[in-house]
Amino acid sequence: MLDSQPPQSSYLSPVDPGELLEENEVVLIVDDYPDIVGLLQEFLQDQGLPTITAGSIAELYQIIPGHNVALTILDIGLPDGSGIELLPQLKNNFPDMSIIMLTAVTDLHTALECLRHGADDYLTKPVQFTDFFATLRKVLEKRRLAINNRRYQRQIEQANFRINLLHELT
């Protein structure tokens, strides 16, 4: 499913977890195959990224409230439902959460459906760790830019309001 060899560190550019995640954020891995979860979790932790895991949709819903999940790596075929059907709910309830679909399904229609339902990217198994990490980094950087853009927009609006109020008072 995944390439079983962890990548040589020379293949990956070093990452400061603070570049991709805020202090209390984590990456959630949702897959019903413990071997895949273990490999991904070990790899991400080696990269300095905190992770939590779930083996089903029910477990995901138990875990999410207690954590600030920045990114979910979501399998399509879970024992208690479809990751594709779960996508709109996750995006509506957690708009700042990024989602990468990771599945053995290599169907273009399925990939497009995932993207239409809100997935940030789609990877098929077996996945190479270097490709996986490049995708993860790209998605988290895009997420960080969007959050910072909203934050700056609010600051500009507040500053504009203060300037207008001062102008009216003078």
Side-chain angles (χ1 to χ4, degrees):
M1 299 278 180
L2 295 173
D3 66 8
S4 58
Q5 292 294 97
Q8 298 294 325
S9 59
S10 62
Y11 292 122
L12 297 175
S13 56
V15 64
D16 172 12
E19 291 176 20
L20 302 176
L21 300 175
E22 296 291 326
E23 186 176 324
N24 62 345
E25 292 179 324
V26 297
V27 175
L28 171 60
I29 303 165
V30 184
D31 199 305
D32 56 331
Y33 287 103
D35 292 340
I36 291 173
V37 171
L39 283 170
L40 290 176
Q41 186 172 33
E42 182 180 341
F43 173 73
L44 292 176
Q45 288 175 344
D46 287 347
Q47 303 308 309
L49 298 173
T51 62
I52 55 176
T53 65
S56 66
I57 293 172
E59 200 175 333
L60 173 142
Y61 277 120
Q62 290 175 350
I63 289 173
I64 282 186
H67 295 88
N68 189 1
V69 178
L71 170 67
T72 298
I73 299 163
L74 182 61
D75 189 18
I76 287 179
L78 295 165
D80 55 349
S82 165
I84 297 173
E85 293 172 7
L86 181 62
L87 273 169
Q89 295 170 25
L90 288 175
K91 283 305 206 177
N92 285 335
N93 295 331
F94 308 98
D96 286 335
M97 180 192 304
S98 292
I99 301 171
I100 297 174
M101 302 304 290
L102 181 63
T103 182
V105 179
T106 58
D107 177 40
L108 179 61
H109 174 73
T110 303
L112 291 173
E113 186 176 3
C114 288
L115 295 173
R116 276 193 295 270
H117 282 88
D120 294 281
D121 214 320
Y122 179 94
L123 294 172
T124 57
K125 302 172 193 172
V127 65
Q128 300 294 317
F129 279 104
T130 50
D131 295 339
F132 171 70
F133 192 68
T135 298
L136 180 136
R137 184 178 213 151
K138 176 189 69 165
V139 166
L140 286 174
E141 286 172 350
K142 179 182 169 191
R143 174 185 177 270
R144 172 71 64 92
L145 288 171
I147 290 170
N148 286 343
N149 187 31
R150 270 199 318 274
R151 188 177 300 143
Y152 295 141
Q153 184 65 36
R154 279 194 304 272
Q155 290 172 352
I156 289 169
E157 289 169 0
Q158 290 171 350
N160 192 31
F161 174 78
R162 282 189 226 112
I163 289 170
N164 287 334
L165 183 60
L166 287 173
H167 180 66
E168 288 178 23
L169 290 174
T170 58

